[in-house]
Amino acid sequence: MTTDLIQKTSQSQVELRGISKRYNIYDRPIDRLKEILWNGKKSFHREYLALDNVSYSFAPHTTALLGPNGSGKSTLLQIMAGVLKPTAGQVACRGRVTAILELGAGFQPEYTGRENALLYGLIVGIPEDEMKERMDEIRDFAELGDFFDQPIKTYSSGMVVRLAFGCATNVEPEILLVDEALAVGDEYFNQKCLERIYDLQAKAKTIILVTHNMDTASRYCQSAVLMNGGQIVADGSLDEIIPMYQEVVRSASAHEHKKFLSVL
Ligand code: ADP
């Protein structure tokens, strides 16, 4: 029993080793063109470090990833999901990773909900036959009814989120990454998604949830990580991290307000 638990635990881990992400910032679109024309011999950009040497090992439970806007949460999640390459460092994910990063990212608008769900399964390594057996469950969870067989370009944004959430949580992920997508759905569906997250927790999954809602964080997460300026600056219990988060957000908005006043 204990061994089984330990195996599950070590499978569900997400480990970040020295992750950095640098973006090239071009002040004007023409600068990008100039750089191409100079064939890289002259530089017309400045560099911006969105993630600065982040190392962290996520525990096999639900962690709230907190931080003010621009602190690097989405960038980090995208790197963990493998949709963005870090400039330096490595991510070790042990287990099947599924992610809800942004509205319908990765869905094909011309394909139906069913076809997209099938495709999703294939991408995360579930055989077609097995995925077909899961279809009714996905359709029912997403409450799409007949829309399930319509192209998703006809869906409302809420329907796309529901489909994304249905797919990502139905394929038995060991690691689930959720970025704010919940906020797009209605209150009833948000609740349903959170309950699904709660169910997955019972199976010792590693879930990383980016949220600005401290009630959600307190209710569904067992620990929190605080990001600021592209770094993880603190981690601990929700009780410890929430006041720190609130302080960081307060000083970030005071800084923005000052900057705004200075240009008036
Ligand atoms: P958060 O999710 O915490 O709001 P992000 O990860 O979205 O933060 O962004 C971190 C920083 O990286 C921000 O300052 C943002 O402007 C910058 N950034 C994100 N994506 C790009 C990009 N494609 N090009 C340039 N800068 C980017």
Side-chain angles (χ1 to χ4, degrees):
M1 180 74 180
T2 319
T3 326
D4 190 38
L5 195 65
I6 290 168
Q7 278 172 353
K8 263 188 190 163
T9 305
S10 61
Q11 265 175 7
S12 309
Q13 264 198 336
V14 182
E15 215 179 304
L16 310 173
R17 301 187 201 113
I19 301 289
S20 292
K21 179 68 189 177
R22 199 175 50 233
Y23 286 116
N24 293 340
I25 308 285
Y26 296 87
D27 290 327
R28 300 163 303 169
I30 187 82
D31 291 339
R32 195 181 291 269
L33 183 63
K34 276 181 177 170
E35 201 162 277
I36 294 169
L37 294 175
W38 275 88
N39 210 5
K41 291 190 187 100
K42 202 169 164 190
S43 155
F44 292 87
H45 66 263
R46 32 193 187 92
E47 291 183 344
Y48 177 75
L49 207 52
L51 292 174
D52 183 6
N53 197 19
V54 177
S55 294
Y56 195 74
S57 184
F58 284 91
H61 60 216
T62 305
T63 302
L65 187 54
L66 308 178
N69 285 337
S71 57
K73 306 178 298 293
S74 303
T75 305
L76 190 60
L77 232 54
Q78 287 178 58
I79 288 174
M80 287 192 266
V83 296
L84 190 66
K85 260 189 158 38
T87 311
Q90 287 120 27
V91 181
C93 286
R94 285 181 285 271
R96 176 182 288 151
V97 185
T98 66
I100 305 164
L101 297 182
E102 55 187 278
L103 257 188
F107 282 155
Q108 303 293 322
E110 304 291 333
Y111 292 7
T112 65
R114 186 184 298 277
E115 288 163 342
N116 271 292
L118 257 179
L119 203 60
Y120 185 92
L122 294 178
I123 290 167
V124 300
I126 298 195
E128 195 173 336
D129 286 351
E130 201 186 311
M131 206 54 207
K132 280 184 175 155
E133 283 169 19
R134 296 168 185 261
M135 283 299 147
D136 288 351
E137 222 283 305
I138 294 176
R139 184 197 55 210
D140 294 346
F141 178 83
E143 297 180 22
L144 288 171
D146 293 342
F147 267 99
F148 198 47
D149 291 302
Q150 297 297 321
I152 67 160
K153 65 180 181 191
T154 63
Y155 288 18
S156 68
S157 56
M159 288 160 84
V160 177
V161 174
R162 272 149 43 197
L163 178 64
F165 205 90
C167 290
T169 56
N170 189 273
V171 295
E172 283 154 33
E174 271 114 5
I175 299 161
L176 175 66
L177 312 171
V178 184
D179 189 359
E180 302 276 351
L182 293 174
V184 185
D186 57 36
E187 194 51 44
Y188 156 75
F189 196 74
N190 288 354
Q191 205 51 42
K192 191 167 163 180
C193 292
L194 290 167
E195 293 307 327
R196 175 64 76 99
I197 288 180
Y198 197 69
D199 290 345
L200 289 171
Q201 289 179 349
K203 299 176 190 155
K205 308 294 176 190
T206 297
I207 301 172
I208 301 168
L209 178 65
V210 170
T211 179
H212 289 289
N213 184 327
M214 293 307 109
D215 290 337
T216 300
S218 306
R219 182 136 181 242
Y220 293 96
C221 302
Q222 284 82 53
S223 69
V225 160
L226 177 61
M227 293 195 72
N228 199 17
Q231 294 181 322
I232 290 182
V233 292
D235 69 336
S237 69
L238 275 301
D239 285 348
E240 288 169 312
I241 302 300
I242 288 176
M244 292 167 90
Y245 163 75
Q246 285 163 338
E247 185 50 42
V248 166
V249 169
R250 237 191 321 269
S251 57
S253 59
H255 180 72
E256 281 306 308
H257 184 65
K258 231 164 136 184
K259 236 169 70 183
F260 175 70
L261 288 180
S262 72
V263 295
L264 287 182

